[in-house]
Amino acid sequence: AGVLAADGTAPPRRPGAFDRVMLDAPCTGLGALRRRPEARWRRGPEAVAELAPLQRRLLAAALDATRPGGVVAYVTCSPHLAETRVVVDDVVRDRGGAERLDAPAVLAGLAPGLTGLGDGPYAQFWPHRHGTDAMFLALLRRI
C-alpha cells in the first residue's frame, strides 16, 4: 500500500484510481478542545460556514478518485453537525453514486469492545466515552 499526499480538490490521478481514500477533512477542530483549549480563540462561529464548501468539494473529489466498489472514509475532529452529517448527507444527495456503510458496525467487527459510537450509519467518538477527541467517521462505498 502506498500513501499519496496531494491537493484533495484536484487529485493527481485519473478518476477511480483508488480502492480506498481517507479524507481527514480540514475542520474547526472543536472535538480537540480538551487537548488544545487555545483553539477556541482561533476560530469563531463563522469558521463552520467557511469550511463547509471546502469539505463538500473534498468529499466529492474523494468519491471521484475512488473506483466503483471502493470506500471513502470521511473523518473530522469536530462533532459539529454542519461539519459532519450535513456535509456527508449533502454530498451523497447532490452527487449521488455513493452509499453509506454502517461505520459503527464496521468498527465493531474490527474492535469488538468498541461501543457507544451511535446507531449508525455514522460513528461519533466522544472524549468522555472513548478517551479520544470528539471524532466523526462516515464510510461511503462508491456505487
Side-chain angles (χ1 to χ4, degrees):
V3 175
L4 176 65
D7 178 348
T9 61
R13 302 272 172 93
R14 64 176 165 57
F18 298 98
D19 293 326
R20 304 282 186 270
V21 173
M22 181 185 151
L23 170 56
D24 182 5
C27 66
T28 58
L30 293 173
L33 289 178
R34 74 181 181 104
R35 289 185 306 109
R36 295 189 182 127
E38 76 285 356
R40 76 183 77 237
W41 309 117
R42 287 191 305 230
R43 301 232 192 238
E46 70 284 351
V48 173
E50 291 170 359
L51 286 166
L54 174 60
Q55 292 163 338
R56 285 176 178 79
R57 284 195 317 273
L58 287 167
L59 182 52
L63 284 165
D64 289 342
T66 306
R67 69 165 174 78
V71 176
V72 173
Y74 175 81
V75 182
T76 70
C77 60
S78 172
H80 197 293
L81 292 177
E83 295 188 274
T84 58
R85 293 172 179 264
V86 173
V87 168
V88 175
D89 291 344
D90 286 353
V91 170
V92 169
R93 181 194 67 234
D94 296 344
R95 184 195 175 280
E99 67 177 336
R100 295 168 192 88
L101 301 178
D102 188 338
V106 170
L107 292 173
L110 299 172
L114 187 58
T115 61
L117 297 174
D119 296 330
Y122 308 127
Q124 180 68 60
F125 291 80
W126 295 106
H128 64 286
R129 287 190 189 149
H130 305 104
T132 65
D133 291 340
M135 298 178 292
F136 171 85
L137 168 66
L139 297 174
L140 303 172
R141 177 178 291 131
R142 181 160 174 212
I143 299 171

mmCIF file of all heavy atoms in Angstrom, residues 43-96:
data_model
loop_
_atom_site.group_PDB
_atom_site.id
_atom_site.type_symbol
_atom_site.label_atom_id
_atom_site.label_comp_id
_atom_site.label_asym_id
_atom_site.label_seq_id
_atom_site.Cartn_x
_atom_site.Cartn_y
_atom_site.Cartn_z
ATOM 1 N N ARG A 43 -10.833 30.239 16.289
ATOM 2 C CA ARG A 43 -11.960 30.074 15.356
ATOM 3 C C ARG A 43 -13.227 30.641 15.983
ATOM 4 O O ARG A 43 -13.494 30.441 17.157
ATOM 5 C CB ARG A 43 -12.194 28.603 15.055
ATOM 6 C CG ARG A 43 -11.014 27.918 14.444
ATOM 7 C CD ARG A 43 -11.436 27.208 13.201
ATOM 8 N NE ARG A 43 -10.395 26.317 12.733
ATOM 9 C CZ ARG A 43 -9.867 26.412 11.546
ATOM 10 N NH1 ARG A 43 -10.269 27.336 10.713
ATOM 11 N NH2 ARG A 43 -8.935 25.581 11.170
ATOM 12 N N GLY A 44 -13.998 31.320 15.144
ATOM 13 C CA GLY A 44 -15.295 31.823 15.571
ATOM 14 C C GLY A 44 -16.401 31.011 14.923
ATOM 15 O O GLY A 44 -16.138 30.095 14.130
ATOM 16 N N PRO A 45 -17.639 31.353 15.211
ATOM 17 C CA PRO A 45 -18.773 30.621 14.634
ATOM 18 C C PRO A 45 -18.790 30.639 13.103
ATOM 19 O O PRO A 45 -19.284 29.709 12.476
ATOM 20 C CB PRO A 45 -19.994 31.352 15.189
ATOM 21 C CG PRO A 45 -19.507 32.073 16.397
ATOM 22 C CD PRO A 45 -18.060 32.376 16.155
ATOM 23 N N GLU A 46 -18.219 31.667 12.522
ATOM 24 C CA GLU A 46 -18.191 31.761 11.052
ATOM 25 C C GLU A 46 -17.298 30.698 10.414
ATOM 26 O O GLU A 46 -17.429 30.389 9.228
ATOM 27 C CB GLU A 46 -17.738 33.153 10.608
ATOM 28 C CG GLU A 46 -16.277 33.470 10.870
ATOM 29 C CD GLU A 46 -15.928 33.804 12.331
ATOM 30 O OE1 GLU A 46 -16.840 33.958 13.162
ATOM 31 O OE2 GLU A 46 -14.723 33.910 12.624
ATOM 32 N N ALA A 47 -16.397 30.095 11.176
ATOM 33 C CA ALA A 47 -15.470 29.095 10.620
ATOM 34 C C ALA A 47 -16.206 27.885 10.075
ATOM 35 O O ALA A 47 -15.793 27.318 9.063
ATOM 36 C CB ALA A 47 -14.458 28.665 11.677
ATOM 37 N N VAL A 48 -17.287 27.495 10.720
ATOM 38 C CA VAL A 48 -18.049 26.332 10.246
ATOM 39 C C VAL A 48 -18.581 26.612 8.846
ATOM 40 O O VAL A 48 -18.424 25.803 7.932
ATOM 41 C CB VAL A 48 -19.194 25.977 11.220
ATOM 42 C CG1 VAL A 48 -20.081 24.890 10.641
ATOM 43 C CG2 VAL A 48 -18.625 25.542 12.565
ATOM 44 N N ALA A 49 -19.193 27.767 8.665
ATOM 45 C CA ALA A 49 -19.746 28.134 7.352
ATOM 46 C C ALA A 49 -18.656 28.313 6.303
ATOM 47 O O ALA A 49 -18.854 27.989 5.131
ATOM 48 C CB ALA A 49 -20.579 29.406 7.474
ATOM 49 N N GLU A 50 -17.490 28.791 6.713
ATOM 50 C CA GLU A 50 -16.390 28.988 5.765
ATOM 51 C C GLU A 50 -15.796 27.653 5.306
ATOM 52 O O GLU A 50 -15.397 27.514 4.154
ATOM 53 C CB GLU A 50 -15.287 29.836 6.410
ATOM 54 C CG GLU A 50 -15.693 31.278 6.640
ATOM 55 C CD GLU A 50 -14.695 32.046 7.496
ATOM 56 O OE1 GLU A 50 -13.684 31.451 7.943
ATOM 57 O OE2 GLU A 50 -14.949 33.234 7.742
ATOM 58 N N LEU A 51 -15.727 26.675 6.191
ATOM 59 C CA LEU A 51 -15.116 25.387 5.863
ATOM 60 C C LEU A 51 -16.050 24.446 5.104
ATOM 61 O O LEU A 51 -15.588 23.594 4.352
ATOM 62 C CB LEU A 51 -14.631 24.697 7.142
ATOM 63 C CG LEU A 51 -13.378 25.288 7.760
ATOM 64 C CD1 LEU A 51 -13.182 24.755 9.176
ATOM 65 C CD2 LEU A 51 -12.170 24.972 6.907
ATOM 66 N N ALA A 52 -17.349 24.591 5.282
ATOM 67 C CA ALA A 52 -18.310 23.649 4.703
ATOM 68 C C ALA A 52 -18.171 23.490 3.182
ATOM 69 O O ALA A 52 -18.166 22.349 2.697
ATOM 70 C CB ALA A 52 -19.730 24.033 5.087
ATOM 71 N N PRO A 53 -18.040 24.559 2.404
ATOM 72 C CA PRO A 53 -17.892 24.366 0.953
ATOM 73 C C PRO A 53 -16.631 23.568 0.590
ATOM 74 O O PRO A 53 -16.666 22.713 -0.301
ATOM 75 C CB PRO A 53 -17.835 25.779 0.393
ATOM 76 C CG PRO A 53 -18.510 26.626 1.420
ATOM 77 C CD PRO A 53 -18.180 25.981 2.740
ATOM 78 N N LEU A 54 -15.535 23.825 1.282
ATOM 79 C CA LEU A 54 -14.297 23.080 1.031
ATOM 80 C C LEU A 54 -14.477 21.613 1.404
ATOM 81 O O LEU A 54 -14.053 20.716 0.670
ATOM 82 C CB LEU A 54 -13.127 23.690 1.804
ATOM 83 C CG LEU A 54 -11.808 22.925 1.732
ATOM 84 C CD1 LEU A 54 -11.313 22.819 0.287
ATOM 85 C CD2 LEU A 54 -10.760 23.595 2.621
ATOM 86 N N GLN A 55 -15.116 21.340 2.534
ATOM 87 C CA GLN A 55 -15.351 19.961 2.959
ATOM 88 C C GLN A 55 -16.177 19.213 1.912
ATOM 89 O O GLN A 55 -15.879 18.062 1.582
ATOM 90 C CB GLN A 55 -16.053 19.945 4.320
ATOM 91 C CG GLN A 55 -15.169 20.447 5.442
ATOM 92 C CD GLN A 55 -15.947 20.823 6.695
ATOM 93 O OE1 GLN A 55 -17.143 21.105 6.648
ATOM 94 N NE2 GLN A 55 -15.247 20.838 7.822
ATOM 95 N N ARG A 56 -17.186 19.872 1.367
ATOM 96 C CA ARG A 56 -18.019 19.231 0.338
ATOM 97 C C ARG A 56 -17.220 18.951 -0.935
ATOM 98 O O ARG A 56 -17.341 17.878 -1.534
ATOM 99 C CB ARG A 56 -19.232 20.106 0.023
ATOM 100 C CG ARG A 56 -20.291 20.072 1.095
ATOM 101 C CD ARG A 56 -21.435 21.049 0.784
ATOM 102 N NE ARG A 56 -22.474 20.974 1.780
ATOM 103 C CZ ARG A 56 -22.413 21.559 2.983
ATOM 104 N NH1 ARG A 56 -21.356 22.274 3.328
ATOM 105 N NH2 ARG A 56 -23.408 21.438 3.834
ATOM 106 N N ARG A 57 -16.416 19.923 -1.367
ATOM 107 C CA ARG A 57 -15.596 19.723 -2.570
ATOM 108 C C ARG A 57 -14.607 18.585 -2.370
ATOM 109 O O ARG A 57 -14.387 17.769 -3.271
ATOM 110 C CB ARG A 57 -14.842 21.015 -2.938
ATOM 111 C CG ARG A 57 -15.704 22.066 -3.580
ATOM 112 C CD ARG A 57 -14.909 23.174 -4.248
ATOM 113 N NE ARG A 57 -13.758 23.675 -3.516
ATOM 114 C CZ ARG A 57 -13.797 24.650 -2.600
ATOM 115 N NH1 ARG A 57 -14.936 25.239 -2.286
ATOM 116 N NH2 ARG A 57 -12.692 25.043 -2.004
ATOM 117 N N LEU A 58 -13.984 18.537 -1.198
ATOM 118 C CA LEU A 58 -13.019 17.477 -0.920
ATOM 119 C C LEU A 58 -13.687 16.106 -0.898
ATOM 120 O O LEU A 58 -13.137 15.141 -1.436
ATOM 121 C CB LEU A 58 -12.314 17.738 0.413
ATOM 122 C CG LEU A 58 -11.291 18.869 0.409
ATOM 123 C CD1 LEU A 58 -10.911 19.244 1.837
ATOM 124 C CD2 LEU A 58 -10.068 18.480 -0.396
ATOM 125 N N LEU A 59 -14.859 16.005 -0.304
ATOM 126 C CA LEU A 59 -15.540 14.716 -0.254
ATOM 127 C C LEU A 59 -15.981 14.281 -1.651
ATOM 128 O O LEU A 59 -15.831 13.122 -2.021
ATOM 129 C CB LEU A 59 -16.725 14.761 0.710
ATOM 130 C CG LEU A 59 -17.489 13.449 0.887
ATOM 131 C CD1 LEU A 59 -16.564 12.288 1.242
ATOM 132 C CD2 LEU A 59 -18.585 13.615 1.931
ATOM 133 N N ALA A 60 -16.505 15.195 -2.444
ATOM 134 C CA ALA A 60 -16.901 14.849 -3.818
ATOM 135 C C ALA A 60 -15.688 14.396 -4.620
ATOM 136 O O ALA A 60 -15.755 13.409 -5.363
ATOM 137 C CB ALA A 60 -17.583 16.037 -4.489
ATOM 138 N N ALA A 61 -14.551 15.080 -4.461
ATOM 139 C CA ALA A 61 -13.322 14.698 -5.173
ATOM 140 C C ALA A 61 -12.815 13.339 -4.696
ATOM 141 O O ALA A 61 -12.331 12.537 -5.499
ATOM 142 C CB ALA A 61 -12.250 15.764 -4.993
ATOM 143 N N ALA A 62 -12.935 13.065 -3.395
ATOM 144 C CA ALA A 62 -12.514 11.759 -2.866
ATOM 145 C C ALA A 62 -13.364 10.649 -3.466
ATOM 146 O O ALA A 62 -12.845 9.589 -3.834
ATOM 147 C CB ALA A 62 -12.605 11.752 -1.340
ATOM 148 N N LEU A 63 -14.655 10.875 -3.579
ATOM 149 C CA LEU A 63 -15.525 9.871 -4.201
ATOM 150 C C LEU A 63 -15.177 9.684 -5.672
ATOM 151 O O LEU A 63 -15.140 8.561 -6.170
ATOM 152 C CB LEU A 63 -16.993 10.265 -4.038
ATOM 153 C CG LEU A 63 -17.558 10.036 -2.633
ATOM 154 C CD1 LEU A 63 -18.876 10.781 -2.453
ATOM 155 C CD2 LEU A 63 -17.728 8.555 -2.359
ATOM 156 N N ASP A 64 -14.891 10.778 -6.377
ATOM 157 C CA ASP A 64 -14.493 10.677 -7.787
ATOM 158 C C ASP A 64 -13.201 9.885 -7.941
ATOM 159 O O ASP A 64 -13.024 9.155 -8.914
ATOM 160 C CB ASP A 64 -14.315 12.071 -8.403
ATOM 161 C CG ASP A 64 -15.624 12.806 -8.598
ATOM 162 O OD1 ASP A 64 -16.694 12.158 -8.585
ATOM 163 O OD2 ASP A 64 -15.580 14.040 -8.755
ATOM 164 N N ALA A 65 -12.299 10.025 -6.986
ATOM 165 C CA ALA A 65 -10.993 9.367 -7.062
ATOM 166 C C ALA A 65 -11.067 7.869 -6.728
ATOM 167 O O ALA A 65 -10.118 7.133 -6.970
ATOM 168 C CB ALA A 65 -10.006 10.050 -6.112
ATOM 169 N N THR A 66 -12.197 7.436 -6.182
ATOM 170 C CA THR A 66 -12.361 6.055 -5.738
ATOM 171 C C THR A 66 -13.074 5.234 -6.813
ATOM 172 O O THR A 66 -14.027 5.691 -7.419
ATOM 173 C CB THR A 66 -13.181 6.032 -4.432
ATOM 174 O OG1 THR A 66 -12.550 6.900 -3.485
ATOM 175 C CG2 THR A 66 -13.261 4.643 -3.851
ATOM 176 N N ARG A 67 -12.593 4.013 -7.023
ATOM 177 C CA ARG A 67 -13.209 3.127 -8.019
ATOM 178 C C ARG A 67 -14.582 2.676 -7.526
ATOM 179 O O ARG A 67 -14.842 2.656 -6.307
ATOM 180 C CB ARG A 67 -12.329 1.907 -8.250
ATOM 181 C CG ARG A 67 -12.285 0.980 -7.050
ATOM 182 C CD ARG A 67 -11.722 -0.386 -7.376
ATOM 183 N NE ARG A 67 -11.557 -1.181 -6.180
ATOM 184 C CZ ARG A 67 -12.537 -1.812 -5.544
ATOM 185 N NH1 ARG A 67 -13.771 -1.724 -5.960
ATOM 186 N NH2 ARG A 67 -12.284 -2.525 -4.456
ATOM 187 N N PRO A 68 -15.479 2.308 -8.444
ATOM 188 C CA PRO A 68 -16.752 1.730 -8.024
ATOM 189 C C PRO A 68 -16.496 0.506 -7.136
ATOM 190 O O PRO A 68 -15.654 -0.333 -7.439
ATOM 191 C CB PRO A 68 -17.419 1.341 -9.345
ATOM 192 C CG PRO A 68 -16.848 2.318 -10.329
ATOM 193 C CD PRO A 68 -15.408 2.490 -9.894
ATOM 194 N N GLY A 69 -17.193 0.459 -6.018
ATOM 195 C CA GLY A 69 -16.983 -0.597 -5.032
ATOM 196 C C GLY A 69 -15.970 -0.220 -3.969
ATOM 197 O O GLY A 69 -15.887 -0.869 -2.934
ATOM 198 N N GLY A 70 -15.189 0.821 -4.219
ATOM 199 C CA GLY A 70 -14.206 1.294 -3.252
ATOM 200 C C GLY A 70 -14.866 2.091 -2.141
ATOM 201 O O GLY A 70 -16.046 2.448 -2.217
ATOM 202 N N VAL A 71 -14.099 2.380 -1.102
ATOM 203 C CA VAL A 71 -14.639 3.030 0.088
ATOM 204 C C VAL A 71 -13.873 4.313 0.409
ATOM 205 O O VAL A 71 -12.642 4.339 0.351
ATOM 206 C CB VAL A 71 -14.598 2.076 1.302
ATOM 207 C CG1 VAL A 71 -15.067 2.770 2.573
ATOM 208 C CG2 VAL A 71 -15.453 0.844 1.027
ATOM 209 N N VAL A 72 -14.637 5.339 0.759
ATOM 210 C CA VAL A 72 -14.082 6.602 1.239
ATOM 211 C C VAL A 72 -14.406 6.728 2.724
ATOM 212 O O VAL A 72 -15.555 6.529 3.125
ATOM 213 C CB VAL A 72 -14.673 7.812 0.484
ATOM 214 C CG1 VAL A 72 -14.221 9.127 1.109
ATOM 215 C CG2 VAL A 72 -14.289 7.760 -0.986
ATOM 216 N N ALA A 73 -13.401 7.046 3.520
ATOM 217 C CA ALA A 73 -13.599 7.373 4.931
ATOM 218 C C ALA A 73 -13.513 8.889 5.056
ATOM 219 O O ALA A 73 -12.493 9.483 4.707
ATOM 220 C CB ALA A 73 -12.538 6.707 5.795
ATOM 221 N N TYR A 74 -14.593 9.504 5.514
ATOM 222 C CA TYR A 74 -14.629 10.952 5.765
ATOM 223 C C TYR A 74 -14.509 11.131 7.267
ATOM 224 O O TYR A 74 -15.340 10.634 8.037
ATOM 225 C CB TYR A 74 -15.942 11.549 5.251
ATOM 226 C CG TYR A 74 -16.116 13.017 5.572
ATOM 227 C CD1 TYR A 74 -15.497 13.988 4.788
ATOM 228 C CD2 TYR A 74 -16.893 13.435 6.642
ATOM 229 C CE1 TYR A 74 -15.646 15.331 5.081
ATOM 230 C CE2 TYR A 74 -17.045 14.777 6.932
ATOM 231 C CZ TYR A 74 -16.427 15.724 6.152
ATOM 232 O OH TYR A 74 -16.569 17.062 6.440
ATOM 233 N N VAL A 75 -13.441 11.823 7.693
ATOM 234 C CA VAL A 75 -13.126 11.948 9.113
ATOM 235 C C VAL A 75 -12.921 13.413 9.468
ATOM 236 O O VAL A 75 -12.273 14.152 8.728
ATOM 237 C CB VAL A 75 -11.823 11.170 9.435
ATOM 238 C CG1 VAL A 75 -11.494 11.251 10.912
ATOM 239 C CG2 VAL A 75 -11.924 9.727 8.975
ATOM 240 N N THR A 76 -13.500 13.816 10.609
ATOM 241 C CA THR A 76 -13.214 15.142 11.155
ATOM 242 C C THR A 76 -12.942 15.002 12.646
ATOM 243 O O THR A 76 -13.358 14.025 13.278
ATOM 244 C CB THR A 76 -14.390 16.140 10.987
ATOM 245 O OG1 THR A 76 -15.461 15.750 11.843
ATOM 246 C CG2 THR A 76 -14.845 16.245 9.556
ATOM 247 N N CYS A 77 -12.284 15.993 13.200
ATOM 248 C CA CYS A 77 -12.118 16.045 14.658
ATOM 249 C C CYS A 77 -13.073 17.103 15.212
ATOM 250 O O CYS A 77 -12.741 17.867 16.102
ATOM 251 C CB CYS A 77 -10.678 16.312 15.060
ATOM 252 S SG CYS A 77 -10.020 17.858 14.434
ATOM 253 N N SER A 78 -14.257 17.120 14.646
ATOM 254 C CA SER A 78 -15.320 18.015 15.095
ATOM 255 C C SER A 78 -16.607 17.219 15.205
ATOM 256 O O SER A 78 -16.916 16.421 14.326
ATOM 257 C CB SER A 78 -15.519 19.153 14.091
ATOM 258 O OG SER A 78 -16.667 19.916 14.436
ATOM 259 N N PRO A 79 -17.380 17.448 16.258
ATOM 260 C CA PRO A 79 -18.683 16.804 16.353
ATOM 261 C C PRO A 79 -19.804 17.681 15.786
ATOM 262 O O PRO A 79 -20.963 17.278 15.792
ATOM 263 C CB PRO A 79 -18.860 16.620 17.864
ATOM 264 C CG PRO A 79 -18.166 17.818 18.445
ATOM 265 C CD PRO A 79 -16.984 18.072 17.526
ATOM 266 N N HIS A 80 -19.474 18.865 15.296
ATOM 267 C CA HIS A 80 -20.487 19.804 14.829
ATOM 268 C C HIS A 80 -21.225 19.224 13.620
ATOM 269 O O HIS A 80 -20.596 18.829 12.629
ATOM 270 C CB HIS A 80 -19.827 21.140 14.466
ATOM 271 C CG HIS A 80 -20.786 22.276 14.373
ATOM 272 N ND1 HIS A 80 -21.745 22.352 13.390
ATOM 273 C CD2 HIS A 80 -20.927 23.378 15.143
ATOM 274 C CE1 HIS A 80 -22.439 23.468 13.555
ATOM 275 N NE2 HIS A 80 -21.956 24.093 14.617
ATOM 276 N N LEU A 81 -22.530 19.168 13.679
ATOM 277 C CA LEU A 81 -23.327 18.552 12.615
ATOM 278 C C LEU A 81 -23.072 19.170 11.246
ATOM 279 O O LEU A 81 -23.088 18.473 10.231
ATOM 280 C CB LEU A 81 -24.810 18.638 12.961
ATOM 281 C CG LEU A 81 -25.261 17.797 14.153
ATOM 282 C CD1 LEU A 81 -26.740 18.021 14.437
ATOM 283 C CD2 LEU A 81 -24.978 16.331 13.932
ATOM 284 N N ALA A 82 -22.820 20.472 11.203
ATOM 285 C CA ALA A 82 -22.591 21.140 9.916
ATOM 286 C C ALA A 82 -21.277 20.714 9.267
ATOM 287 O O ALA A 82 -21.080 20.907 8.068
ATOM 288 C CB ALA A 82 -22.612 22.655 10.091
ATOM 289 N N GLU A 83 -20.368 20.118 10.048
ATOM 290 C CA GLU A 83 -19.090 19.641 9.506
ATOM 291 C C GLU A 83 -19.073 18.121 9.322
ATOM 292 O O GLU A 83 -18.118 17.587 8.780
ATOM 293 C CB GLU A 83 -17.944 20.008 10.448
ATOM 294 C CG GLU A 83 -17.721 21.484 10.583
ATOM 295 C CD GLU A 83 -16.479 21.774 11.370
ATOM 296 O OE1 GLU A 83 -16.563 21.815 12.622
ATOM 297 O OE2 GLU A 83 -15.423 21.956 10.740
ATOM 298 N N THR A 84 -20.114 17.475 9.780
ATOM 299 C CA THR A 84 -20.111 16.021 9.776
ATOM 300 C C THR A 84 -21.290 15.490 8.954
ATOM 301 O O THR A 84 -21.208 15.387 7.740
ATOM 302 C CB THR A 84 -20.143 15.500 11.225
ATOM 303 O OG1 THR A 84 -21.304 16.003 11.907
ATOM 304 C CG2 THR A 84 -18.907 15.921 11.994
ATOM 305 N N ARG A 85 -22.372 15.195 9.602
ATOM 306 C CA ARG A 85 -23.539 14.597 8.943
ATOM 307 C C ARG A 85 -24.069 15.437 7.785
ATOM 308 O O ARG A 85 -24.424 14.890 6.742
ATOM 309 C CB ARG A 85 -24.672 14.390 9.949
ATOM 310 C CG ARG A 85 -24.374 13.362 10.993
ATOM 311 C CD ARG A 85 -25.460 13.367 12.067
ATOM 312 N NE ARG A 85 -25.178 12.367 13.064
ATOM 313 C CZ ARG A 85 -25.702 11.150 13.066
ATOM 314 N NH1 ARG A 85 -26.553 10.804 12.119
ATOM 315 N NH2 ARG A 85 -25.382 10.286 13.986
ATOM 316 N N VAL A 86 -24.139 16.725 7.984
ATOM 317 C CA VAL A 86 -24.712 17.593 6.942
ATOM 318 C C VAL A 86 -23.841 17.559 5.686
ATOM 319 O O VAL A 86 -24.357 17.464 4.569
ATOM 320 C CB VAL A 86 -24.911 19.031 7.469
ATOM 321 C CG1 VAL A 86 -25.335 19.966 6.347
ATOM 322 C CG2 VAL A 86 -25.943 19.046 8.596
ATOM 323 N N VAL A 87 -22.533 17.614 5.837
ATOM 324 C CA VAL A 87 -21.630 17.551 4.681
ATOM 325 C C VAL A 87 -21.826 16.239 3.936
ATOM 326 O O VAL A 87 -22.016 16.218 2.721
ATOM 327 C CB VAL A 87 -20.156 17.714 5.117
ATOM 328 C CG1 VAL A 87 -19.204 17.370 3.976
ATOM 329 C CG2 VAL A 87 -19.893 19.127 5.616
ATOM 330 N N VAL A 88 -21.789 15.136 4.661
ATOM 331 C CA VAL A 88 -21.914 13.817 4.027
ATOM 332 C C VAL A 88 -23.281 13.673 3.366
ATOM 333 O O VAL A 88 -23.380 13.259 2.201
ATOM 334 C CB VAL A 88 -21.664 12.687 5.044
ATOM 335 C CG1 VAL A 88 -21.916 11.330 4.419
ATOM 336 C CG2 VAL A 88 -20.243 12.773 5.587
ATOM 337 N N ASP A 89 -24.339 14.019 4.078
ATOM 338 C CA ASP A 89 -25.683 13.889 3.518
ATOM 339 C C ASP A 89 -25.850 14.744 2.263
ATOM 340 O O ASP A 89 -26.440 14.301 1.275
ATOM 341 C CB ASP A 89 -26.732 14.257 4.556
ATOM 342 C CG ASP A 89 -26.825 13.250 5.696
ATOM 343 O OD1 ASP A 89 -26.302 12.123 5.551
ATOM 344 O OD2 ASP A 89 -27.406 13.596 6.736
ATOM 345 N N ASP A 90 -25.326 15.970 2.287
ATOM 346 C CA ASP A 90 -25.431 16.855 1.122
ATOM 347 C C ASP A 90 -24.695 16.272 -0.088
ATOM 348 O O ASP A 90 -25.217 16.278 -1.199
ATOM 349 C CB ASP A 90 -24.876 18.241 1.428
ATOM 350 C CG ASP A 90 -25.782 19.068 2.325
ATOM 351 O OD1 ASP A 90 -26.919 18.629 2.629
ATOM 352 O OD2 ASP A 90 -25.343 20.167 2.741
ATOM 353 N N VAL A 91 -23.490 15.785 0.125
ATOM 354 C CA VAL A 91 -22.697 15.255 -0.991
ATOM 355 C C VAL A 91 -23.345 13.994 -1.556
ATOM 356 O O VAL A 91 -23.453 13.836 -2.776
ATOM 357 C CB VAL A 91 -21.234 15.005 -0.575
ATOM 358 C CG1 VAL A 91 -20.470 14.240 -1.654
ATOM 359 C CG2 VAL A 91 -20.545 16.330 -0.279
ATOM 360 N N VAL A 92 -23.797 13.099 -0.692
ATOM 361 C CA VAL A 92 -24.445 11.876 -1.171
ATOM 362 C C VAL A 92 -25.715 12.228 -1.947
ATOM 363 O O VAL A 92 -25.978 11.672 -3.016
ATOM 364 C CB VAL A 92 -24.741 10.904 -0.005
ATOM 365 C CG1 VAL A 92 -25.644 9.763 -0.441
ATOM 366 C CG2 VAL A 92 -23.440 10.370 0.572
ATOM 367 N N ARG A 93 -26.486 13.173 -1.440
ATOM 368 C CA ARG A 93 -27.724 13.579 -2.119
ATOM 369 C C ARG A 93 -27.435 14.273 -3.451
ATOM 370 O O ARG A 93 -28.012 13.942 -4.476
ATOM 371 C CB ARG A 93 -28.537 14.502 -1.219
ATOM 372 C CG ARG A 93 -29.867 14.964 -1.844
ATOM 373 C CD ARG A 93 -30.504 16.120 -1.106
ATOM 374 N NE ARG A 93 -29.667 17.298 -1.259
ATOM 375 C CZ ARG A 93 -29.205 18.035 -0.243
ATOM 376 N NH1 ARG A 93 -29.507 17.722 0.988
ATOM 377 N NH2 ARG A 93 -28.447 19.088 -0.461
ATOM 378 N N ASP A 94 -26.511 15.237 -3.442
ATOM 379 C CA ASP A 94 -26.257 16.059 -4.621
ATOM 380 C C ASP A 94 -25.424 15.351 -5.683
ATOM 381 O O ASP A 94 -25.655 15.516 -6.870
ATOM 382 C CB ASP A 94 -25.565 17.368 -4.228
ATOM 383 C CG ASP A 94 -26.437 18.247 -3.347
ATOM 384 O OD1 ASP A 94 -27.670 18.001 -3.287
ATOM 385 O OD2 ASP A 94 -25.893 19.154 -2.702
ATOM 386 N N ARG A 95 -24.446 14.597 -5.263
ATOM 387 C CA ARG A 95 -23.544 13.933 -6.202
ATOM 388 C C ARG A 95 -24.080 12.581 -6.626
ATOM 389 O O ARG A 95 -23.951 12.176 -7.765
ATOM 390 C CB ARG A 95 -22.162 13.773 -5.579
ATOM 391 C CG ARG A 95 -21.144 13.167 -6.528
ATOM 392 C CD ARG A 95 -19.922 12.702 -5.762
ATOM 393 N NE ARG A 95 -19.012 12.015 -6.644
ATOM 394 C CZ ARG A 95 -19.150 10.759 -7.026
ATOM 395 N NH1 ARG A 95 -20.178 10.045 -6.640
ATOM 396 N NH2 ARG A 95 -18.258 10.201 -7.832
ATOM 397 N N GLY A 96 -24.670 11.859 -5.661
ATOM 398 C CA GLY A 96 -25.138 10.509 -5.946
ATOM 399 C C GLY A 96 -23.964 9.559 -6.103
ATOM 400 O O GLY A 96 -22.806 9.923 -5.941
#
